[in-house]
Amino acid sequence: MTEELISKKELLDLTGISYGQLYRWKRKNLIPEQWFIRKSSFTGQETFFPREKMLQRIDRILGMKDDLSLDALADVFSPSPGDIRLSVGELLERNIVTSTSLNLYIETAGKSEGMSLLGFDQMLTVYVLDKLLQSGDISLEEGRLLVQTLEEYLPGLAGKECGVHLTRKMGVAAFILVPGDVEIYMDRSVRTVARLSLARCTEELKLLVSGSEG
Amino acid sequence: MTAQVSDDRRADLKIVGNGTSNGGIFNKVKVVGEGEINGDVDCRTLNCTGTLEVDGGLRIEVLKAKGTIAVTGPMSGEELNLTGNLSVRSGLKAGKARLNGEIRIEGGIAGEDIGLFGSCELTGNCQAERLRIKGALQTQGTINAEQVELAMFGRSQAGEIVGGQIRIAPHPTWKWVSLFKSWGTPELQATVIEGDVIRLENTVADIVRGGDVSIGPGCRIRLVEYTKHYHQDPNAEVGEHLNVWRNEE
């Protein structure tokens, strides 16, 4: 399955932004370099973008740019973790995650109630867990598996785009972390139950955390 | 905050005549003559008259230099002033830079307000809010800046130039100074130029796309695509110009 692309011309036409804006956002890293895909076409070289991601991103930038500075926006979209720390209580109070997921996380990761400040990686783990639990895609038992996987590999993946796949084959669940969130191909009896992008989750979590602060 | 305390204990480094150092963290570094530093340097100010070779990275807050500086690693600074030769092998990051003379940067430039006066040879991409170049530019990469001003003495070459406002023309004094004529007609060759406001003279490009596009004398462009305004000088050659997508806000 290849991603549907959108040409630069069509993009500017559709969104009504100018070249200047597009390149300003690129300079500020609001739009990642990897999304600029160069291809030759009959008019010479043309630049294309992943259609879905790009339209969504521009929509969000346009929606938020009046409230936040470009640098603050860059922070939201950057896949690198913020240096935010929240306590368990705050996470619950502000409805960022549910108590079920948080309890499961604390139980699995073996964090004592005493050290209740969670770093961004830890919050992200709980957030991903919460998302999957709430969607009903995974059971509590599989949630444990997820926490262990993320706890182990998340620090090494800091700031990189990464896909989280949950697959099942003959009822046996497996989590796969895919750096770069590329396509992976598995034999036909493997079913991908859930698929999340860590960059997207990071973005959502950052918005949740900073949004409810102000 | 803790960094502040140790900052106050930074020592100064002075090289007068001929000297070598192994680098480190300094307050002021002063080089008069010929200096060689093997290792990374991090300092508040660097004053150099003469030659400085750094085998490693160079981080400065304020640079004032006359002469030659060669850095093998990455170089970064808040305010850079240099007249002479600069060669950086692994990218340059600067807040404000005024670099006069022969500039050779490998690994790209990222900065806010960059002025390059003289001959500039770049590899990698160049990003800035404001980029002013007077002289000749040689690069295969992309230049992305809110404001690009290129006043040419001599032949220039660029891969892509993109951004907000782009002005490219021979330097106004070029016509009057016969000395420069031996360098050949100042002319820019580029593949793609894209921006909101584009003013070109003596530019040879494959594609120019923009909102308000003005093609001045001495240009040869294969294809121009514009959205708002288009102006073409009688002394310009344009293969095709199209008014594409009228998207009025």
mmCIF file of all heavy atoms in Angstrom, chain A residues 91-132:
data_model
loop_
_atom_site.group_PDB
_atom_site.id
_atom_site.type_symbol
_atom_site.label_atom_id
_atom_site.label_comp_id
_atom_site.label_asym_id
_atom_site.label_seq_id
_atom_site.Cartn_x
_atom_site.Cartn_y
_atom_site.Cartn_z
ATOM 1 N N LEU A 91 -2.259 13.863 36.051
ATOM 2 C CA LEU A 91 -2.663 13.131 34.852
ATOM 3 C C LEU A 91 -4.125 12.723 34.922
ATOM 4 O O LEU A 91 -4.854 12.788 33.944
ATOM 5 C CB LEU A 91 -1.792 11.883 34.680
ATOM 6 C CG LEU A 91 -0.423 12.070 34.033
ATOM 7 C CD1 LEU A 91 0.326 10.758 34.032
ATOM 8 C CD2 LEU A 91 -0.557 12.586 32.625
ATOM 9 N N LEU A 92 -4.544 12.304 36.131
ATOM 10 C CA LEU A 92 -5.925 11.864 36.309
ATOM 11 C C LEU A 92 -6.861 13.056 36.363
ATOM 12 O O LEU A 92 -7.909 13.076 35.725
ATOM 13 C CB LEU A 92 -6.045 11.049 37.595
ATOM 14 C CG LEU A 92 -5.420 9.667 37.555
ATOM 15 C CD1 LEU A 92 -5.569 8.997 38.903
ATOM 16 C CD2 LEU A 92 -6.063 8.827 36.467
ATOM 17 N N GLU A 93 -6.431 14.047 37.127
ATOM 18 C CA GLU A 93 -7.273 15.221 37.329
ATOM 19 C C GLU A 93 -7.617 15.888 36.007
ATOM 20 O O GLU A 93 -8.725 16.347 35.789
ATOM 21 C CB GLU A 93 -6.517 16.218 38.199
ATOM 22 C CG GLU A 93 -7.302 16.775 39.367
ATOM 23 C CD GLU A 93 -6.348 17.442 40.320
ATOM 24 O OE1 GLU A 93 -5.931 18.556 39.989
ATOM 25 O OE2 GLU A 93 -5.990 16.833 41.351
ATOM 26 N N ARG A 94 -6.610 15.947 35.139
ATOM 27 C CA ARG A 94 -6.837 16.654 33.877
ATOM 28 C C ARG A 94 -7.341 15.737 32.776
ATOM 29 O O ARG A 94 -7.357 16.105 31.607
ATOM 30 C CB ARG A 94 -5.540 17.353 33.470
ATOM 31 C CG ARG A 94 -5.305 18.586 34.337
ATOM 32 C CD ARG A 94 -3.886 18.997 34.371
ATOM 33 N NE ARG A 94 -3.379 19.251 33.039
ATOM 34 C CZ ARG A 94 -2.179 19.746 32.812
ATOM 35 N NH1 ARG A 94 -1.393 20.045 33.820
ATOM 36 N NH2 ARG A 94 -1.774 19.943 31.588
ATOM 37 N N ASN A 95 -7.759 14.527 33.201
ATOM 38 C CA ASN A 95 -8.369 13.594 32.242
ATOM 39 C C ASN A 95 -7.470 13.282 31.050
ATOM 40 O O ASN A 95 -7.946 13.123 29.935
ATOM 41 C CB ASN A 95 -9.700 14.151 31.722
ATOM 42 C CG ASN A 95 -10.790 13.951 32.736
ATOM 43 O OD1 ASN A 95 -10.777 12.973 33.480
ATOM 44 N ND2 ASN A 95 -11.718 14.891 32.795
ATOM 45 N N ILE A 96 -6.166 13.273 31.280
ATOM 46 C CA ILE A 96 -5.283 12.948 30.175
ATOM 47 C C ILE A 96 -5.318 11.433 29.929
ATOM 48 O O ILE A 96 -5.350 10.978 28.798
ATOM 49 C CB ILE A 96 -3.848 13.464 30.458
ATOM 50 C CG1 ILE A 96 -3.883 14.993 30.494
ATOM 51 C CG2 ILE A 96 -2.865 12.977 29.407
ATOM 52 C CD1 ILE A 96 -2.625 15.661 30.954
ATOM 53 N N VAL A 97 -5.338 10.678 31.020
ATOM 54 C CA VAL A 97 -5.496 9.230 30.889
ATOM 55 C C VAL A 97 -6.502 8.748 31.940
ATOM 56 O O VAL A 97 -6.809 9.466 32.884
ATOM 57 C CB VAL A 97 -4.162 8.481 31.093
ATOM 58 C CG1 VAL A 97 -3.193 8.804 29.971
ATOM 59 C CG2 VAL A 97 -3.547 8.821 32.431
ATOM 60 N N THR A 98 -6.981 7.541 31.757
ATOM 61 C CA THR A 98 -7.919 6.992 32.741
ATOM 62 C C THR A 98 -7.160 6.285 33.860
ATOM 63 O O THR A 98 -5.997 5.905 33.695
ATOM 64 C CB THR A 98 -8.861 5.966 32.086
ATOM 65 O OG1 THR A 98 -8.046 4.914 31.563
ATOM 66 C CG2 THR A 98 -9.657 6.592 30.968
ATOM 67 N N SER A 99 -7.842 6.103 34.980
ATOM 68 C CA SER A 99 -7.164 5.492 36.127
ATOM 69 C C SER A 99 -6.849 4.027 35.848
ATOM 70 O O SER A 99 -5.857 3.499 36.351
ATOM 71 C CB SER A 99 -8.025 5.626 37.383
ATOM 72 O OG SER A 99 -9.298 5.077 37.141
ATOM 73 N N THR A 100 -7.672 3.363 35.039
ATOM 74 C CA THR A 100 -7.419 1.948 34.716
ATOM 75 C C THR A 100 -6.039 1.787 34.077
ATOM 76 O O THR A 100 -5.230 0.960 34.501
ATOM 77 C CB THR A 100 -8.468 1.427 33.703
ATOM 78 O OG1 THR A 100 -9.729 1.994 34.025
ATOM 79 C CG2 THR A 100 -8.520 -0.066 33.692
ATOM 80 N N SER A 101 -5.784 2.610 33.063
ATOM 81 C CA SER A 101 -4.506 2.473 32.366
ATOM 82 C C SER A 101 -3.351 2.877 33.262
ATOM 83 O O SER A 101 -2.290 2.266 33.251
ATOM 84 C CB SER A 101 -4.463 3.319 31.095
ATOM 85 O OG SER A 101 -5.678 3.886 30.810
ATOM 86 N N LEU A 102 -3.584 3.916 34.038
ATOM 87 C CA LEU A 102 -2.519 4.394 34.900
ATOM 88 C C LEU A 102 -2.153 3.332 35.942
ATOM 89 O O LEU A 102 -0.978 3.061 36.185
ATOM 90 C CB LEU A 102 -2.945 5.704 35.581
ATOM 91 C CG LEU A 102 -1.826 6.530 36.167
ATOM 92 C CD1 LEU A 102 -0.815 6.892 35.101
ATOM 93 C CD2 LEU A 102 -2.370 7.798 36.803
ATOM 94 N N ASN A 103 -3.178 2.716 36.513
ATOM 95 C CA ASN A 103 -2.927 1.670 37.504
ATOM 96 C C ASN A 103 -2.180 0.503 36.881
ATOM 97 O O ASN A 103 -1.238 -0.028 37.453
ATOM 98 C CB ASN A 103 -4.251 1.175 38.096
ATOM 99 C CG ASN A 103 -4.806 2.189 39.074
ATOM 100 O OD1 ASN A 103 -4.061 3.011 39.609
ATOM 101 N ND2 ASN A 103 -6.121 2.163 39.265
ATOM 102 N N LEU A 104 -2.620 0.125 35.691
ATOM 103 C CA LEU A 104 -1.973 -0.985 34.999
ATOM 104 C C LEU A 104 -0.506 -0.653 34.738
ATOM 105 O O LEU A 104 0.385 -1.481 34.910
ATOM 106 C CB LEU A 104 -2.690 -1.256 33.672
ATOM 107 C CG LEU A 104 -2.142 -2.420 32.857
ATOM 108 C CD1 LEU A 104 -2.391 -3.726 33.586
ATOM 109 C CD2 LEU A 104 -2.755 -2.454 31.468
ATOM 110 N N TYR A 105 -0.283 0.610 34.355
ATOM 111 C CA TYR A 105 1.091 1.030 34.073
ATOM 112 C C TYR A 105 1.952 0.967 35.328
ATOM 113 O O TYR A 105 3.045 0.400 35.321
ATOM 114 C CB TYR A 105 1.100 2.456 33.504
ATOM 115 C CG TYR A 105 2.494 3.019 33.376
ATOM 116 C CD1 TYR A 105 3.320 2.600 32.332
ATOM 117 C CD2 TYR A 105 2.993 3.912 34.315
ATOM 118 C CE1 TYR A 105 4.599 3.074 32.227
ATOM 119 C CE2 TYR A 105 4.281 4.395 34.213
ATOM 120 C CZ TYR A 105 5.078 3.979 33.160
ATOM 121 O OH TYR A 105 6.348 4.445 33.059
ATOM 122 N N ILE A 106 1.404 1.530 36.409
ATOM 123 C CA ILE A 106 2.174 1.573 37.658
ATOM 124 C C ILE A 106 2.490 0.162 38.138
ATOM 125 O O ILE A 106 3.604 -0.161 38.547
ATOM 126 C CB ILE A 106 1.392 2.369 38.735
ATOM 127 C CG1 ILE A 106 1.347 3.837 38.325
ATOM 128 C CG2 ILE A 106 2.031 2.204 40.099
ATOM 129 C CD1 ILE A 106 0.432 4.680 39.145
ATOM 130 N N GLU A 107 1.490 -0.700 37.991
ATOM 131 C CA GLU A 107 1.639 -2.089 38.407
ATOM 132 C C GLU A 107 2.719 -2.801 37.569
ATOM 133 O O GLU A 107 3.588 -3.494 38.099
ATOM 134 C CB GLU A 107 0.274 -2.756 38.187
ATOM 135 C CG GLU A 107 0.095 -4.120 38.755
ATOM 136 C CD GLU A 107 -1.282 -4.613 38.319
ATOM 137 O OE1 GLU A 107 -2.286 -3.884 38.538
ATOM 138 O OE2 GLU A 107 -1.336 -5.687 37.722
ATOM 139 N N THR A 108 2.668 -2.589 36.263
ATOM 140 C CA THR A 108 3.582 -3.308 35.372
ATOM 141 C C THR A 108 4.999 -2.753 35.439
ATOM 142 O O THR A 108 5.973 -3.488 35.528
ATOM 143 C CB THR A 108 3.104 -3.204 33.904
ATOM 144 O OG1 THR A 108 1.714 -3.432 33.875
ATOM 145 C CG2 THR A 108 3.827 -4.193 33.033
ATOM 146 N N ALA A 109 5.092 -1.438 35.372
ATOM 147 C CA ALA A 109 6.410 -0.833 35.336
ATOM 148 C C ALA A 109 7.039 -0.795 36.729
ATOM 149 O O ALA A 109 8.205 -0.439 36.869
ATOM 150 C CB ALA A 109 6.317 0.575 34.753
ATOM 151 N N GLY A 110 6.228 -1.150 37.731
ATOM 152 C CA GLY A 110 6.772 -1.225 39.077
ATOM 153 C C GLY A 110 7.162 0.114 39.658
ATOM 154 O O GLY A 110 8.129 0.255 40.394
ATOM 155 N N LYS A 111 6.410 1.150 39.312
ATOM 156 C CA LYS A 111 6.682 2.469 39.903
ATOM 157 C C LYS A 111 5.934 2.541 41.228
ATOM 158 O O LYS A 111 4.750 2.233 41.288
ATOM 159 C CB LYS A 111 6.174 3.577 38.983
ATOM 160 C CG LYS A 111 6.885 3.612 37.652
ATOM 161 C CD LYS A 111 8.130 4.456 37.772
ATOM 162 C CE LYS A 111 8.966 4.547 36.558
ATOM 163 N NZ LYS A 111 9.261 3.507 35.685
ATOM 164 N N SER A 112 6.621 2.948 42.239
ATOM 165 C CA SER A 112 5.934 3.076 43.517
ATOM 166 C C SER A 112 5.176 4.408 43.541
ATOM 167 O O SER A 112 5.530 5.353 42.846
ATOM 168 C CB SER A 112 6.953 3.035 44.661
ATOM 169 O OG SER A 112 7.825 4.126 44.521
ATOM 170 N N GLU A 113 4.148 4.456 44.346
ATOM 171 C CA GLU A 113 3.336 5.669 44.427
ATOM 172 C C GLU A 113 4.160 6.854 44.900
ATOM 173 O O GLU A 113 3.848 7.993 44.610
ATOM 174 C CB GLU A 113 2.155 5.449 45.399
ATOM 175 C CG GLU A 113 1.116 4.459 44.902
ATOM 176 C CD GLU A 113 0.137 5.074 43.909
ATOM 177 O OE1 GLU A 113 0.173 6.302 43.747
ATOM 178 O OE2 GLU A 113 -0.638 4.322 43.306
ATOM 179 N N GLY A 114 5.206 6.538 45.615
ATOM 180 C CA GLY A 114 6.034 7.613 46.182
ATOM 181 C C GLY A 114 6.618 8.525 45.124
ATOM 182 O O GLY A 114 6.467 9.739 45.177
ATOM 183 N N MET A 115 7.270 7.929 44.129
ATOM 184 C CA MET A 115 7.837 8.790 43.085
ATOM 185 C C MET A 115 6.798 8.966 41.978
ATOM 186 O O MET A 115 6.777 8.259 40.999
ATOM 187 C CB MET A 115 9.141 8.205 42.538
ATOM 188 C CG MET A 115 9.064 6.772 42.057
ATOM 189 S SD MET A 115 10.272 6.438 40.788
ATOM 190 C CE MET A 115 9.706 7.493 39.473
ATOM 191 N N SER A 116 5.952 9.926 42.206
ATOM 192 C CA SER A 116 4.770 9.984 41.351
ATOM 193 C C SER A 116 4.936 10.922 40.159
ATOM 194 O O SER A 116 4.015 11.095 39.398
ATOM 195 C CB SER A 116 3.570 10.432 42.176
ATOM 196 O OG SER A 116 3.889 11.601 42.871
ATOM 197 N N LEU A 117 6.116 11.506 39.973
ATOM 198 C CA LEU A 117 6.300 12.378 38.812
ATOM 199 C C LEU A 117 6.655 11.536 37.586
ATOM 200 O O LEU A 117 7.585 10.744 37.614
ATOM 201 C CB LEU A 117 7.419 13.391 39.063
ATOM 202 C CG LEU A 117 7.018 14.717 39.704
ATOM 203 C CD1 LEU A 117 8.193 15.669 39.699
ATOM 204 C CD2 LEU A 117 5.830 15.356 39.009
ATOM 205 N N LEU A 118 5.886 11.710 36.529
ATOM 206 C CA LEU A 118 6.157 10.948 35.319
ATOM 207 C C LEU A 118 6.850 11.831 34.283
ATOM 208 O O LEU A 118 6.421 12.949 34.040
ATOM 209 C CB LEU A 118 4.853 10.412 34.717
ATOM 210 C CG LEU A 118 4.088 9.387 35.541
ATOM 211 C CD1 LEU A 118 2.938 8.826 34.742
ATOM 212 C CD2 LEU A 118 4.988 8.264 36.009
ATOM 213 N N GLY A 119 7.904 11.310 33.664
ATOM 214 C CA GLY A 119 8.567 12.021 32.570
ATOM 215 C C GLY A 119 7.770 11.858 31.297
ATOM 216 O O GLY A 119 6.757 11.143 31.276
ATOM 217 N N PHE A 120 8.230 12.489 30.234
ATOM 218 C CA PHE A 120 7.421 12.474 29.015
ATOM 219 C C PHE A 120 7.293 11.078 28.420
ATOM 220 O O PHE A 120 6.216 10.668 28.018
ATOM 221 C CB PHE A 120 7.986 13.442 27.974
ATOM 222 C CG PHE A 120 6.995 13.719 26.888
ATOM 223 C CD1 PHE A 120 6.042 14.706 27.048
ATOM 224 C CD2 PHE A 120 6.990 12.968 25.729
ATOM 225 C CE1 PHE A 120 5.100 14.941 26.070
ATOM 226 C CE2 PHE A 120 6.046 13.199 24.737
ATOM 227 C CZ PHE A 120 5.101 14.188 24.911
ATOM 228 N N ASP A 121 8.396 10.347 28.404
ATOM 229 C CA ASP A 121 8.360 8.988 27.861
ATOM 230 C C ASP A 121 7.338 8.135 28.593
ATOM 231 O O ASP A 121 6.597 7.360 27.989
ATOM 232 C CB ASP A 121 9.736 8.327 27.992
ATOM 233 C CG ASP A 121 10.623 8.687 26.807
ATOM 234 O OD1 ASP A 121 10.122 9.387 25.905
ATOM 235 O OD2 ASP A 121 11.788 8.263 26.810
ATOM 236 N N GLN A 122 7.323 8.303 29.915
ATOM 237 C CA GLN A 122 6.406 7.492 30.719
ATOM 238 C C GLN A 122 4.965 7.903 30.460
ATOM 239 O O GLN A 122 4.081 7.052 30.323
ATOM 240 C CB GLN A 122 6.762 7.645 32.197
ATOM 241 C CG GLN A 122 8.157 7.107 32.486
ATOM 242 C CD GLN A 122 8.657 7.526 33.845
ATOM 243 O OE1 GLN A 122 8.423 8.653 34.278
ATOM 244 N NE2 GLN A 122 9.347 6.619 34.504
ATOM 245 N N MET A 123 4.761 9.227 30.345
ATOM 246 C CA MET A 123 3.420 9.691 30.051
ATOM 247 C C MET A 123 2.965 9.170 28.696
ATOM 248 O O MET A 123 1.819 8.787 28.513
ATOM 249 C CB MET A 123 3.376 11.221 30.054
ATOM 250 C CG MET A 123 3.407 11.824 31.427
ATOM 251 S SD MET A 123 2.849 13.522 31.363
ATOM 252 C CE MET A 123 4.300 14.347 30.825
ATOM 253 N N LEU A 124 3.919 9.164 27.761
ATOM 254 C CA LEU A 124 3.587 8.707 26.408
ATOM 255 C C LEU A 124 3.174 7.233 26.436
ATOM 256 O O LEU A 124 2.207 6.833 25.797
ATOM 257 C CB LEU A 124 4.787 8.914 25.482
ATOM 258 C CG LEU A 124 4.538 8.657 24.002
ATOM 259 C CD1 LEU A 124 3.476 9.592 23.465
ATOM 260 C CD2 LEU A 124 5.815 8.815 23.201
ATOM 261 N N THR A 125 3.910 6.450 27.207
ATOM 262 C CA THR A 125 3.567 5.031 27.338
ATOM 263 C C THR A 125 2.148 4.880 27.867
ATOM 264 O O THR A 125 1.344 4.120 27.323
ATOM 265 C CB THR A 125 4.559 4.335 28.300
ATOM 266 O OG1 THR A 125 5.879 4.614 27.864
ATOM 267 C CG2 THR A 125 4.323 2.852 28.337
ATOM 268 N N VAL A 126 1.841 5.616 28.930
ATOM 269 C CA VAL A 126 0.499 5.507 29.512
ATOM 270 C C VAL A 126 -0.548 5.979 28.508
ATOM 271 O O VAL A 126 -1.622 5.399 28.381
ATOM 272 C CB VAL A 126 0.383 6.352 30.811
ATOM 273 C CG1 VAL A 126 -0.935 6.068 31.489
ATOM 274 C CG2 VAL A 126 1.523 6.046 31.743
ATOM 275 N N TYR A 127 -0.197 7.020 27.770
ATOM 276 C CA TYR A 127 -1.139 7.580 26.814
ATOM 277 C C TYR A 127 -1.454 6.580 25.698
ATOM 278 O O TYR A 127 -2.612 6.369 25.335
ATOM 279 C CB TYR A 127 -0.565 8.874 26.229
ATOM 280 C CG TYR A 127 -1.503 9.569 25.280
ATOM 281 C CD1 TYR A 127 -2.638 10.227 25.749
ATOM 282 C CD2 TYR A 127 -1.269 9.550 23.912
ATOM 283 C CE1 TYR A 127 -3.506 10.851 24.886
ATOM 284 C CE2 TYR A 127 -2.139 10.173 23.033
ATOM 285 C CZ TYR A 127 -3.262 10.822 23.525
ATOM 286 O OH TYR A 127 -4.108 11.437 22.660
ATOM 287 N N VAL A 128 -0.407 5.940 25.179
ATOM 288 C CA VAL A 128 -0.596 4.939 24.131
ATOM 289 C C VAL A 128 -1.423 3.775 24.673
ATOM 290 O O VAL A 128 -2.368 3.299 24.040
ATOM 291 C CB VAL A 128 0.765 4.438 23.602
ATOM 292 C CG1 VAL A 128 0.580 3.265 22.668
ATOM 293 C CG2 VAL A 128 1.505 5.556 22.896
ATOM 294 N N LEU A 129 -1.081 3.362 25.881
ATOM 295 C CA LEU A 129 -1.803 2.268 26.538
ATOM 296 C C LEU A 129 -3.274 2.636 26.683
ATOM 297 O O LEU A 129 -4.172 1.852 26.374
ATOM 298 C CB LEU A 129 -1.162 2.009 27.904
ATOM 299 C CG LEU A 129 -1.866 1.020 28.824
ATOM 300 C CD1 LEU A 129 -1.723 -0.376 28.271
ATOM 301 C CD2 LEU A 129 -1.300 1.099 30.230
ATOM 302 N N ASP A 130 -3.507 3.849 27.128
ATOM 303 C CA ASP A 130 -4.863 4.323 27.361
ATOM 304 C C ASP A 130 -5.665 4.328 26.058
ATOM 305 O O ASP A 130 -6.808 3.897 26.010
ATOM 306 C CB ASP A 130 -4.797 5.731 27.956
ATOM 307 C CG ASP A 130 -6.126 6.148 28.552
ATOM 308 O OD1 ASP A 130 -6.700 5.328 29.303
ATOM 309 O OD2 ASP A 130 -6.589 7.262 28.260
ATOM 310 N N LYS A 131 -5.008 4.814 25.017
ATOM 311 C CA LYS A 131 -5.676 4.887 23.705
ATOM 312 C C LYS A 131 -6.130 3.497 23.248
ATOM 313 O O LYS A 131 -7.244 3.312 22.794
ATOM 314 C CB LYS A 131 -4.698 5.465 22.666
ATOM 315 C CG LYS A 131 -4.969 6.904 22.303
ATOM 316 C CD LYS A 131 -3.967 7.359 21.289
ATOM 317 C CE LYS A 131 -4.595 7.427 19.920
ATOM 318 N NZ LYS A 131 -4.807 8.743 19.383
ATOM 319 N N LEU A 132 -5.200 2.544 23.376
ATOM 320 C CA LEU A 132 -5.491 1.198 22.892
ATOM 321 C C LEU A 132 -6.526 0.501 23.772
ATOM 322 O O LEU A 132 -7.393 -0.207 23.275
ATOM 323 C CB LEU A 132 -4.205 0.373 22.819
ATOM 324 C CG LEU A 132 -3.265 0.791 21.684
ATOM 325 C CD1 LEU A 132 -1.933 0.092 21.826
ATOM 326 C CD2 LEU A 132 -3.879 0.462 20.335
#
